[in-house]
């Protein structure tokens, strides 16, 4: 059976930037092992498999894989798949500005706008992010990243384990210069970084490469088959809880742009919007652009 696929670059408006994504449109009959094998064949940070929704009011059901494991939820697969399905609807003469994707974490609502071969999608986080644990000692984290302990942390920010559906170790780094020097020590990595089943690190600093952005980030998850990721929406979801804990934004809406992938030559921009009421986070959303790159069939 031939199965259609499309690739997109996500969290960018330019091809050959952002985070590449493969979307397999005909996934019926594929089991988990086959999906994982196809994902390894594409060898991108994530691959999506689209199937009919369980509930007819929704747009599609999707499963998301990294080369190493399945994820219950992820940001750039959600954005890229929403843009792709909206483009297909537009080609069929149906205008779709709202889509609901059934993911393992639950139903994810997306606002979408498209034109020609690209578009933008924003989705509401399916669950509010939270701090779920303590990170390792600063000296251990610094050693695993090849940095000095004095370069870990800034302002009130300190390392912690946070989750918005996928767990991440968030590591504040003092400067953009130090971010560029991060080098993983794999002898220490699995014993230092959390969670134990897929140790990772989302490192970030307040200095940015581009004016108008708010944070610069890098994400490493070698245990999931991702040496470094150009853009990580799932980590941005977890990061919302860190912003609430350490920056304590006031009531109202706050829009932050996280730049990522610059060290890889894949500049990406993730828009994170927080809505705060009475000092607490009541909702958050992640948005970004996506552009079609290729299409074909799997044999």
């Amino acid at each position: 059976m031939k199965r259609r696929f499309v690739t997109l670059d996500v969290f960018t408006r330019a091809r050959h930037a952002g985070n590449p994504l493969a979307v397999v449109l005909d996934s019926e009959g594929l089991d988990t092992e086959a999906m994982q094998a196809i994902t390894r064949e594409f060898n991108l940070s994530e691959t999506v498999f689209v199937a009919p929704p369980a509930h007819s009011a929704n747009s599609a059901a999707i499963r998301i894989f990294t080369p190493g494991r399945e994820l219950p939820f992820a940001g750039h697969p959600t954005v890229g798949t929403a843009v792709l399905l909206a483009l297909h609807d537009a080609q069929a003469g149906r205008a779709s500005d709202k889509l609901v994707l059934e993911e393992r974490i639950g139903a994810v609502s997306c606002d979408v706008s498209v034109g020609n071969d690209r578009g933008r999608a924003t989705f509401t986080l399916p669950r509010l992010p939270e701090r779920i644990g303590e990170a390792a000692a600063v000296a251990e984290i610094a050693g695993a990243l090849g940095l000095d302990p004095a370069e870990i942390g800034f302002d009130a920010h300190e390392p912690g384990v946070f989750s918005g559906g996928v767990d991440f170790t968030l590591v504040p780094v003092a400067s953009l210069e130090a971010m560029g020097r991060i080098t993983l020590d794999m002898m220490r990595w699995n014993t230092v970084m959390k969670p134990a089943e897929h140790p990772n690190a989302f490192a970030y600093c307040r200095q940015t490469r581009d004016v108008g952005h708010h944070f610069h980030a890098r994400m490493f998850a070698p245990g999931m088959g991702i040496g470094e990721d150009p853009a990580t929406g799932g980590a941005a979801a977890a990061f919302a809880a860190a912003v609430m804990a350490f920056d304590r934004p006031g009531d109202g809406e706050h829009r932050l742009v996280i730049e990522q992938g610059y060290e890889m030559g894949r500049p990406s921009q993730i828009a994170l919007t927080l809505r705060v009421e009475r000092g607490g986070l009541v909702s958050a959303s992640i948005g970004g652009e996506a552009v079609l790159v290729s299409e074909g069939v799997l044999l």
Side-chain angles (χ1 to χ4, degrees):
M1 176 180 176
K2 294 183 177 181
R3 300 177 186 274
R4 297 172 298 149
F5 74 86
V6 176
T7 70
L8 307 92
D9 286 335
V10 185
F11 290 125
T12 178
R13 64 180 59 183
R15 288 189 179 91
H16 313 133
N19 200 350
L21 174 72
V23 182
V24 177
L25 291 164
D26 306 304
S27 67
E28 293 90 337
L30 292 175
D31 60 17
T32 298
E33 183 178 0
M35 291 181 188
Q36 190 69 74
I38 290 169
T39 299
R40 288 194 295 267
E41 180 76 13
F42 279 115
N43 199 32
L44 302 177
S45 57
E46 277 132 344
T47 295
V48 172
F49 296 85
V50 179
H55 301 285
S56 59
N58 297 336
S59 307
I62 67 172
R63 294 180 67 180
I64 303 167
F65 289 78
T66 76
R69 67 188 291 264
E70 184 173 8
L71 298 177
F73 156 77
H76 106 276
T78 300
V79 168
T81 304
V83 167
L84 176 60
L85 296 181
L87 283 169
H88 284 183
D89 284 348
Q91 292 168 0
R94 302 186 301 270
S96 299
D97 57 0
K98 291 186 181 296
L99 299 175
V100 178
L101 302 179
E102 297 173 358
E103 304 187 18
R104 288 299 173 97
I105 197 172
V108 181
S109 299
C110 309
D111 293 322
V112 193
S113 60
V114 297
N116 296 324
D117 56 1
R118 64 197 64 215
R120 181 178 186 86
T122 300
F123 65 89
T124 301
L125 298 190
R127 79 179 208 199
L128 289 178
E130 59 183 336
R131 186 168 189 162
I132 61 170
E134 300 301 315
V138 165
E140 294 179 337
I141 291 174
L145 295 175
L147 299 177
D148 188 274
E151 295 175 310
I152 303 298
F154 61 82
D155 301 335
H157 287 249
E158 63 181 18
V161 183
F162 294 80
S163 181
V166 179
D167 304 346
F168 287 92
T169 297
L170 303 189
V171 182
V173 176
S175 69
L176 192 60
E177 187 273 335
M179 289 283 288
R181 286 191 284 105
I182 291 175
T183 304
L184 305 191
D185 183 341
M186 296 310 301
M187 296 295 290
R188 307 186 191 190
W189 187 262
N190 288 341
T191 58
V192 171
M193 295 303 178
K194 301 177 182 180
E197 62 270 21
H198 54 93
N200 62 58
F202 180 76
Y204 64 93
C205 70
R206 214 186 287 277
Q207 296 175 356
T208 61
R209 293 272 192 96
D210 292 340
V211 175
H213 297 170
H214 300 85
F215 293 94
H216 182 91
R218 301 180 71 181
M219 200 287 286
F220 308 92
M224 289 194 280
I226 304 170
E228 182 171 357
D229 198 27
T232 317
F239 180 62
V243 172
M244 291 300 302
F246 303 132
D247 287 343
R248 300 187 179 277
D251 288 359
E253 188 170 277
H254 304 269
R255 185 177 186 274
L256 307 172
V257 178
I258 303 166
E259 59 179 38
Q260 189 179 336
Y262 285 58
E263 289 81 1
M264 305 173 67
R266 306 279 313 192
S268 309
Q269 297 81 37
I270 303 170
L272 171 64
T273 302
L274 312 178
R275 181 170 293 280
V276 181
E277 294 180 5
R278 297 181 179 179
L281 184 66
V282 295
S283 68
S285 63
I286 289 175
E289 298 181 85
V291 57
L292 300 182
V293 175
S294 69
E295 58 184 0
V297 294
L298 294 170
L299 303 178

